[in-house]
Amino acid sequence: MGLASPVTQWVAIGVACAALVAIVVGWRLLARRGVLALLGRAASLIAVNLTVLVAVFLVVNSKFGLYSDWDDLLGIQSAQSAATTTTSGGGNGGTTTVSDPKAEQIAGYDGRVFRAQVPGPASGVTGTVLVMLPAGYGTKPAPAGGYPVIEAFHGYPGTPQQWLEAMDVMPSVDGAVARRQIVSPILVFPDLEIPAGRDTECVNGGPGEPQLETWMSKDVPDWVESHYQAARTASSWATMGLSMGAWCANQMTMLHPDRFGATISFGGYFKPNFGSWKPFALNSPAGQRLDLVTLAKVSPPAVRVWALASKSDSLSWPSTSALAAAAHGPLQVTMVTQQQGGHRTSIWAGFVPQALDWLGENLQGFAPTSA
């Protein structure tokens, strides 16, 4: 039986129920005094709790695709070694100063990470962002034209800290810079859950709802350009995301090619995947606008896409593989395919250096020769 199989889940639930019934029926026998009875009660309680935990894990894993199969769960096969890359479509630590006096420095991270509130003149939204500055920012000259910028989006549920902790992005960026694969970038991590706890899919809501697409595609970039030594051309701006945040990254770049030149997608998708909050129907004009696979077929934007997806990931694989098949000039899609692998940061983090190298090779503003 497969790890995510409904049969496996129902068997686990049945075993948990049977264990609970058994302990209820047999508790009178176990209630006797003595060491053996005490040990029996402890063992019974442990067994019931374990079976319940296993059943809950299997149900949650099936919903979120954390592990694709038993080998993935047991770590028998390396997810990264099973990946193949194809391209489709057209074309080829010291003191840091920050321009925003209200920004709060986050402890650690070589003093390079700050938290700030970003108002939205265009969107009406005010939200939190983290900013990771290049090593030596403010103490040495910026590249000609300014630093390139990556706007990076976290998953749901999640926070911007996912990039600094689970994805460990700072060493990956610094390593790519040291290898002269990319120009040292500014990274910006917006909080996507506005209001808190909502799976927003980074879209503009209806009247009275937060206009998150506008905030992330216009207000946040405008704020970065006004507060930091940032470049101002699409060839120097990219997006990056994981899971739901990868959808956000894909959406921002493909719908706003005048602002962003490339996107990096870790386990993302190319059509919205709304939860309980549904601001509009997917077959409405607003929903059809967000069908990026159709956009790639009908009116492909002149941007570059790097996408990592596993064939066993039911959330990311269908629309990512469809986008790669639909891509044609001027859109270019580089797809990294895993034969198996779950939907989790412990897999995606290992691919960050490869994605950054690709960015330096494919977007002019990130290429070391343009520094």
Side-chain angles (χ1 to χ4, degrees):
M1 294 183 292
L3 180 64
S5 167
V7 175
T8 304
Q9 296 171 53
W10 282 113
V11 168
I13 293 171
V15 170
C17 292
L20 182 60
V21 170
I23 195 173
V24 171
V25 172
W27 191 256
R28 182 169 297 180
L29 295 174
L30 295 173
R32 299 173 180 174
R33 295 181 179 181
V35 175
L36 291 179
L38 178 63
L39 292 175
R41 289 196 296 272
S44 299
L45 290 172
I46 291 172
V48 168
N49 280 281
L50 283 176
T51 57
V52 170
L53 287 173
V54 168
V56 170
F57 165 76
L58 290 172
V59 172
V60 171
N61 183 71
S62 176
K63 179 176 178 60
F64 294 102
L66 303 176
Y67 296 89
S68 61
D69 53 30
W70 296 107
D71 286 350
D72 188 23
L73 176 64
L74 298 173
I76 293 174
Q77 191 171 50
S78 168
Q80 191 157 356
S81 65
T84 57
T85 303
T86 57
T87 301
S88 58
N92 233 358
T95 301
T96 302
T97 60
V98 59
S99 301
D100 184 358
K102 296 181 181 179
E104 170 196 359
Q105 189 176 65
I106 304 300
Y109 306 111
D110 298 329
R112 292 162 51 190
V113 178
F114 296 81
R115 179 184 290 111
Q117 294 295 307
V118 176
S123 64
V125 173
T126 296
T128 302
V129 303
L130 298 184
V131 179
M132 189 183 95
L133 297 176
Y137 180 92
T139 64
K140 61 182 181 182
Y147 288 99
V149 181
I150 301 174
E151 192 170 352
F153 305 99
H154 62 79
Y156 176 83
T159 68
Q161 281 88 345
Q162 274 186 312
W163 281 103
L164 298 169
E165 297 169 1
M167 295 295 283
D168 203 19
V169 72
M170 181 178 280
S172 293
V173 169
D174 291 348
V177 172
R179 298 193 310 274
R180 288 195 52 78
Q181 294 297 315
I182 61 170
V183 173
S184 190
I186 296 171
L187 273 78
V188 185
F189 312 99
D191 186 354
L192 311 184
E193 295 182 25
I194 302 175
R198 174 183 287 180
D199 178 0
T200 65
E201 299 294 301
C202 300
V203 304
N204 286 343
E209 292 280 1
Q211 306 296 293
L212 289 184
E213 180 186 336
T214 302
W215 184 64
M216 295 171 189
S217 65
K218 179 168 176 55
D219 291 329
V220 171
D222 287 350
W223 178 85
V224 171
E225 290 177 353
S226 67
H227 286 80
Y228 299 95
Q229 300 175 55
R232 295 174 178 265
T233 61
S235 63
S236 294
W237 277 75
T239 61
M240 181 167 67
L242 57 96
S243 191
M244 185 270 280
W247 151 252
C248 299
N250 300 332
Q251 174 197 170
M252 296 306 153
T253 293
M254 292 188 66
L255 295 182
H256 302 278
D258 57 329
R259 171 62 78 177
F260 305 102
T263 182
I264 294 171
S265 171
F266 296 101
Y269 40 96
F270 291 84
K271 298 179 181 179
N273 182 42
F274 292 114
S276 58
W277 180 70
K278 295 178 174 62
F280 43 75
L282 292 181
N283 60 359
S284 67
Q288 291 173 351
R289 172 180 173 269
L290 297 175
D291 184 345
L292 303 183
V293 175
T294 298
L295 178 66
K297 293 178 182 177
V298 176
S299 183
V303 297
R304 307 293 180 92
V305 176
W306 184 96
L308 170 68
S310 166
K311 289 184 176 181
S312 58
D313 186 345
S314 60
L315 182 61
S316 67
W317 177 257
S319 63
T320 303
S321 57
L323 182 90
H328 60 91
L331 173 66
Q332 178 178 301
V333 177
T334 297
M335 184 171 177
V336 180
T337 300
Q338 294 176 276
Q339 297 304 312
Q340 66 174 20
H343 190 83
R344 61 188 191 275
T345 55
S346 61
I347 288 178
W348 303 327
F351 286 90
V352 173
Q354 178 181 335
L356 293 173
D357 289 354
W358 170 89
L359 185 61
E361 295 167 358
N362 285 272
L363 204 57
Q364 182 181 359
F366 289 85
T369 54
S370 65

